[in-house]
Amino acid sequence: MLRFLKKRKEKEKKAVVLGIDGVPYSLLKRFIDEGLMPNLAKLAVKGTLSNMTASIPEVSSTSWSTFMTGVNPGKHGIYGFMELQKGSYKWKFPDSRDVSSSTLWDIAGRNGKKSIVLNVPSTYPAKELNGILTAGFVALDLKKATWPESAYEYLKGIGYIMDVNARKAQESLEALAEEIDRTFEVRKKAIMHFLDTGDWDLFVAVITETDRLHHYLWVALDDENHPQHEFFIGFYKKLDAFIGEMYKKVGDEIPFIMLSDHGFTTIKKEVYLNTWLREQGYLKFKKEIPDSLEDMHEESRVFALDPSRIYLHLKGKYPNGCVDPVDYEATRNRIKDELMTLTHEGIKVIKKVLFKEEIYSGDLAKDAPDLVALSHEGYDLKGAVNKPEIFGNSLLTGGHTRENATFYINRDVDAKGVNIVDVGPTVISLMGIDHDGFDGKSLV
């Protein structure tokens, strides 16, 4: 009888995770201090609200994959939103089929637990699981994004929107704001519907509207004269109200975690690494204004992919690779040294350049970028191939930071030095599941 009760207690252990994409810890602290987020202020008293470090690179596909697997990209295999297809120079957008490690809901399912997973990036197309999943960015088709059919029918019925249509920003910032609001409203409706069922052991939902808000309207945050300033502040009030509503439904007993996948800051300049590589003589194209890396000349020695990944054009690895493996280390070191001298108006752009073996470990580390550049705050590194200048600006006013991501749990824990790779192991531990193979550590 005691063994039965123990097993029942273990089975009933649940966890809730709310992702708030791109939300900086410092911004939440500021809004708490200014009285704009009273619900979050109460939660901060109940538990632990902390700064967190994101993945390298600090891009959503990599960070969310790191969260949902508890391992580094050298094991889960996602280094960015875009890769080259093996054996060619064609673009490829990695998706759920490229995530090579078990997710939290995979692990939960193997232990007889049911998961509901809503809007997590890099989960498209939806895979069968013990529960419900509708994928996040980059999801192209709601039916393919959703498992099972009954969940698809519900989402279709409420006019569910998979993501903000960022093209609205080209129309007007007012149109973009309306789109953000519209998407957020239907996202909240879906989250609360599935949360209300109570038919879950693990509940994971991500709000991505915050990220879209920040990319295009970060400039409106501190400019009270900006036409969208009040919208920006008002959106966070709505987010706070939703956090309060969701927490009231969950209660104090169930572990409640919030996290972001990176921080945000003002973009001073976008930095086009491939243009810099061209000017340094490392990269050539067959035509003056290339369309993609398919136009790369066979004499090219180095190229870059978003956001800050640098690859040597190695013989034997790429169809037209020209860098001899014996020159690998010398070339890497030279690129690193030259990147560290890159300046904009006398200000250093690059804070650090790391070799792949300093960052990644695992069977898929062989596919990792040979170098990753980390910029000083405000310099947004890009992999565009057709920019005429090294430095420029676009419609984006906010960019990612690796530091200043957010972690929250309604428990008193030591969160000093927490990294996003630690959140997955923490969730699984809270659910009473024993699992080996994580790179991160549980905080409980």
Side-chain angles (χ1 to χ4, degrees):
M1 183 66 176
L2 287 174
R3 186 193 301 179
F4 170 78
L5 290 173
K6 183 178 180 181
K7 285 185 176 180
R8 183 178 176 184
K9 186 176 180 181
E10 291 296 305
K11 186 178 180 181
E12 289 174 351
K13 285 190 173 182
K14 296 187 174 189
V16 172
V17 180
L18 176 63
I20 41 176
D21 199 295
V23 174
Y25 165 76
S26 60
L27 184 63
L28 294 181
K29 286 290 290 180
R30 168 182 163 179
F31 284 165
I32 287 172
D33 293 343
E34 292 176 358
L36 295 174
M37 300 188 77
N39 290 297
L40 184 60
K42 292 174 185 176
L43 293 188
V45 174
K46 285 178 181 285
T48 304
L49 179 63
S50 171
N51 191 345
M52 184 177 71
T53 305
S55 64
I56 298 177
E58 64 280 9
V59 64
S60 294
S61 59
T62 307
S63 266
W64 287 118
S65 295
T66 299
F67 151 71
M68 69 189 186
T69 62
V71 299
N72 83 95
K75 294 177 182 174
H76 66 62
I78 306 298
Y79 293 98
F81 277 126
M82 189 178 291
E83 300 284 356
L84 294 185
Q85 295 180 24
K86 290 190 185 299
S88 81
Y89 299 96
K90 295 181 182 293
W91 298 128
K92 173 186 176 179
F93 295 91
D95 59 30
S96 63
R97 293 165 292 195
D98 297 293
V99 178
S100 296
S101 299
S102 295
T103 63
L104 304 183
W105 36 98
D106 291 333
I107 297 166
R110 290 198 295 265
N111 285 270
K113 291 177 178 282
K114 188 172 183 179
S115 300
I116 295 181
V117 183
L118 309 175
N119 198 41
V120 179
S122 295
T123 57
Y124 180 86
K127 294 181 178 180
E128 183 176 344
L129 76 162
N130 181 20
I132 292 168
L133 186 147
T134 189
F137 187 70
V138 181
L140 305 174
D141 177 84
L142 182 60
K143 191 173 183 65
K144 292 180 181 178
T146 308
W147 170 270
E149 179 76 15
S150 58
Y152 163 72
E153 292 297 338
Y154 166 75
L155 293 169
K156 180 183 176 184
I158 65 168
Y160 185 76
I161 305 168
M162 292 182 290
D163 197 8
V164 171
N165 180 5
R167 289 191 296 272
K168 291 285 185 179
Q170 298 173 1
E171 181 182 324
S172 72
L173 293 181
E174 182 180 2
L176 177 69
E178 291 174 358
E179 175 73 0
I180 290 171
D181 228 6
R182 189 168 69 96
T183 307
F184 183 48
E185 289 304 313
V186 75
R187 182 94 62 221
K188 291 188 297 182
K189 184 174 183 178
I191 291 172
M192 291 307 297
H193 167 79
F194 289 114
L195 186 68
D196 280 343
T197 66
D199 189 19
W200 48 265
D201 299 290
L202 172 63
F203 189 95
V204 182
V206 177
I207 300 295
T208 42
E209 291 72 54
T210 41
D211 179 87
R212 307 338 179 217
L213 173 76
H214 295 169
H215 271 306
Y216 292 95
L217 294 173
W218 189 258
V219 68
L221 169 61
D222 290 316
D223 182 0
E224 295 184 1
N225 295 316
H226 192 284
Q228 302 304 325
H229 172 73
E230 289 303 322
F231 173 78
F232 194 111
I233 302 301
F235 186 86
Y236 265 89
K237 291 179 179 178
K238 291 180 182 179
L239 176 62
D240 181 71
F242 176 65
I243 291 170
E245 179 185 5
M246 192 173 174
Y247 192 83
K248 184 177 180 181
K249 182 68 63 175
V250 173
D252 293 331
E253 295 303 313
I254 296 176
F256 183 87
I257 289 172
M258 287 191 293
L259 77 152
S260 64
D261 55 331
H262 50 74
F264 249 90
T265 193
T266 301
I267 294 177
K268 298 173 185 175
K269 284 292 178 181
E270 293 180 353
V271 185
Y272 308 114
L273 292 175
N274 281 315
T275 304
W276 178 81
L277 287 168
R278 289 182 80 173
E279 292 195 6
Q280 299 299 113
Y282 290 108
L283 178 62
K284 295 181 180 180
F285 288 100
K286 297 171 187 175
K287 55 187 185 181
E288 185 59 31
I289 304 176
D291 295 314
S292 72
L293 288 176
E294 290 185 77
D295 296 321
M296 186 165 61
H297 195 282
E298 61 187 14
E299 294 177 3
S300 296
R301 296 176 62 79
V302 185
F303 62 90
L305 294 178
D306 267 340
S308 55
R309 297 173 288 154
I310 299 168
Y311 296 80
L312 272 59
H313 194 207
L314 284 167
K315 289 181 180 178
K317 183 176 181 180
Y318 300 100
N320 300 321
C322 67
V323 176
D324 195 298
V326 300
D327 297 325
Y328 181 78
E329 288 302 336
T331 305
R332 274 206 314 181
N333 279 296
R334 188 160 61 250
I335 293 290
K336 176 179 179 178
D337 290 344
E338 292 179 13
L339 270 171
M340 292 302 296
T341 68
L342 180 60
T343 60
H344 174 255
E345 296 181 350
I347 299 172
K348 289 191 69 172
V349 171
I350 305 299
K351 178 169 55 178
K352 186 182 292 187
V353 179
L354 297 170
F355 295 152
K356 63 181 179 181
E357 61 269 21
E358 297 178 87
I359 317 169
Y360 309 118
S361 62
D363 291 343
L364 301 177
K366 64 183 186 302
D367 300 323
D370 298 297
L371 308 94
V372 180
L374 306 181
S375 65
H376 286 287
E377 191 165 308
Y379 292 101
D380 193 19
L381 305 183
K382 298 288 189 182
V385 298
N386 56 4
K387 298 293 184 178
E389 306 290 340
I390 296 174
F391 300 101
N393 289 100
S394 67
L395 288 174
L396 305 181
T397 65
H400 300 180
T401 63
R402 182 172 177 246
E403 293 77 21
N404 201 23
T406 297
F407 172 77
Y408 171 79
I409 184 170
N410 60 342
R411 303 286 188 271
D412 185 16
V413 302
D414 180 5
K416 184 178 180 181
V418 63
N419 184 284
I420 195 165
V421 77
D422 301 321
V423 184
T426 301
V427 171
I428 291 299
S429 178
L430 287 164
M431 296 179 71
I433 298 173
D434 292 325
H435 179 77
D436 295 326
F438 287 129
D439 289 337
K441 63 181 185 303
S442 173
L443 302 179
V444 294

